[in-house]
């Protein structure tokens, strides 16, 4: 489990996870803060996310009073809302994922904190270590950002025989040691390295940027950056003020813009959001 689970937050229990729960359908005061061990529910296809920011809007109001057409909100005992920005900390066990990562030994602790088992990227027995960590089976998919002759050979050898795949996503091995140039062209390198079966190269489609939705997104972002479009934030609230936030929704005429809970304590400090006062 990532140590970020213990990151300080702006809730009534700033040193531990928790959630606002709808205890019965009704006014904002039906919301009660429940300390919560989320690790007990990280199973099946569930994903554990540490929330950094959360939006508060009309759907929260509808869910709290019992009018939201979703089975998960059909009876009390749930938390309202679905607008979040956060960080994935853990995956459910039915996903049955075991991740191995190559890096230098100085980064082992960091890699482990991400839920990944580290292996020295320069180890002469890299393939043997992967086999040992996978009960001799090898991995289903190996991702290679180096694409050197050795990395392609070793990573493919570390996959499951006949079914394992190697996906190359970078060509770091073809960059000069002083960072000045490519030693060979990308197409030529890939042509040499990816002749073996079960190997492929991944890149975003060059046509992605031509999709109208992407163009619209960039237009909006550019307008925000230049100040032509200025999103209106009505109020930034600490998570401890969950009931007050819902009361603002009820008295909607006083809200002009977006309501946001700043959940991460460090971010709240930077923005001047305090648990005993908000802006």
């Amino acid at each position: 489990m990532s140590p970020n689970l213990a990151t300080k937050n702006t809730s009534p229990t700033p040193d531990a996870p928790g959630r606002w729960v709808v205890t019965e359908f009704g006014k904002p005061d039906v919301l009660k803060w429940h300390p919560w061990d989320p690790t007990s529910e990280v199973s099946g296809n569930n994903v554990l996310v540490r929330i950094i920011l959360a939006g508060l809007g009309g759907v929260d109001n509808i869910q709290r009073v019992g009018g939201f057409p979703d089975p998960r909100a059909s009876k009390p005992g749930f938390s309202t809302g679905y607008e979040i920005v956060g960080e994935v900390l853990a995956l459910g066990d039915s996903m049955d994922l075991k991740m191995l990562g190559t890096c230098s030994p100085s980064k082992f602790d960091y890699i482990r904190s991400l839920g990944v088992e580290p292996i020295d990227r320069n180890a002469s027995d890299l393939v043997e270590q992967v086999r040992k960590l996978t009960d001799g089976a090898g991995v289903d998919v190996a991702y290679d950002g180096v694409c050197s002759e050795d990395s392609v050979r070793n990573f493919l050898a570390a996959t499951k025989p006949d079914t394992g795949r190697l996906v190359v996503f970078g060509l770091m091995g073809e960059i000069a040691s002083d960072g000045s140039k490519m030693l060979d062209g990308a197409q030529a390198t890939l042509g040499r390295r990816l002749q073996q079966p079960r190997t492929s190269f991944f890149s975003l489609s060059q046509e992605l940027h031509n999709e109208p939705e992407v163009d619209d997104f960039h237009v909006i972002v550019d307008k925000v950056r230049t100040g032509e479009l200025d999103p209106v934030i009505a109020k930034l609230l600490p998570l401890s003020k969950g009931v007050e936030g819902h009361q603002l929704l009820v008295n909607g005429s006083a809200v002009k813009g977006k309501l946001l809970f700043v959940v991460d304590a460090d971010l709240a400090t930077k923005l001047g959001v305090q648990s005993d006062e908000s802006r």
Side-chain angles (χ1 to χ4, degrees), residues 53-224:
L53 282 166
L56 186 62
V59 67
D60 295 83
N61 221 2
I62 297 170
Q63 290 175 340
R64 193 195 66 251
V65 298
F68 195 69
D70 187 310
R72 292 169 296 182
S74 62
K75 59 182 180 179
F78 64 92
S79 299
T80 69
Y82 52 71
E83 299 177 19
I84 66 168
V85 174
E87 172 190 13
V88 175
L89 299 185
L91 305 175
D93 52 20
S94 73
M95 297 182 186
D96 196 24
L97 290 179
K98 182 173 186 177
M99 294 179 286
L100 313 178
T102 57
C103 62
S104 57
S106 64
K107 298 179 181 178
F108 276 14
D109 288 342
Y110 169 68
I111 293 298
R112 287 194 181 97
S113 77
L114 302 176
V116 179
E117 182 63 32
I119 299 174
D120 187 343
R121 63 188 179 91
N122 294 315
S124 59
D125 62 342
L126 185 148
V127 176
E128 288 74 13
Q129 288 191 54
V130 172
R131 294 289 176 188
K132 183 177 180 179
L133 290 167
T134 57
D135 297 323
V139 296
D140 294 290
V141 185
Y143 296 92
D144 181 9
V146 177
C147 197
S148 67
E149 184 175 349
D150 286 343
S151 69
V152 168
R153 180 181 62 252
N154 288 335
F155 280 33
L156 185 60
T159 66
K160 292 180 177 179
D162 302 322
T163 61
R165 295 186 296 118
L166 169 65
V167 178
V168 172
F169 63 91
L171 299 160
M172 295 294 291
E174 291 300 313
I175 299 177
S177 59
D178 63 359
S180 61
K181 62 181 179 179
M182 291 288 292
L183 300 176
D184 201 352
Q187 294 302 323
T189 300
L190 292 173
R192 293 194 308 272
R193 303 281 191 259
L194 303 187
Q195 293 181 359
Q196 301 187 63
R198 300 184 285 115
T199 61
S200 62
F201 178 71
F202 172 81
S203 67
L204 291 175
S205 169
Q206 293 184 355
E207 297 302 315
L208 175 65
H209 298 291
N210 294 326
E211 296 294 331
E213 295 84 357
V214 176
D215 288 341
D216 292 343
F217 173 74
H218 285 296
V219 168
I220 293 172
V221 171
D222 288 341
K223 288 182 180 296
V224 172

Side-chain angles (χ1 to χ4, degrees), residues 12-83:
T13 55
D15 295 312
R19 57 183 175 178
W20 287 105
V21 175
V22 177
T23 58
E24 60 180 292
F25 294 131
K27 296 180 180 180
D29 59 7
V30 303
L31 293 169
K32 304 298 179 186
W33 181 257
H34 287 194
W36 175 51
D37 177 13
T39 60
S40 65
E41 298 187 24
V42 184
S43 60
N45 292 323
N46 292 334
V47 177
L48 176 61
V49 177
R50 180 180 73 88
I51 298 174
I52 298 172
L53 282 166
L56 186 62
V59 67
D60 295 83
N61 221 2
I62 297 170
Q63 290 175 340
R64 193 195 66 251
V65 298
F68 195 69
D70 187 310
R72 292 169 296 182
S74 62
K75 59 182 180 179
F78 64 92
S79 299
T80 69
Y82 52 71
E83 299 177 19

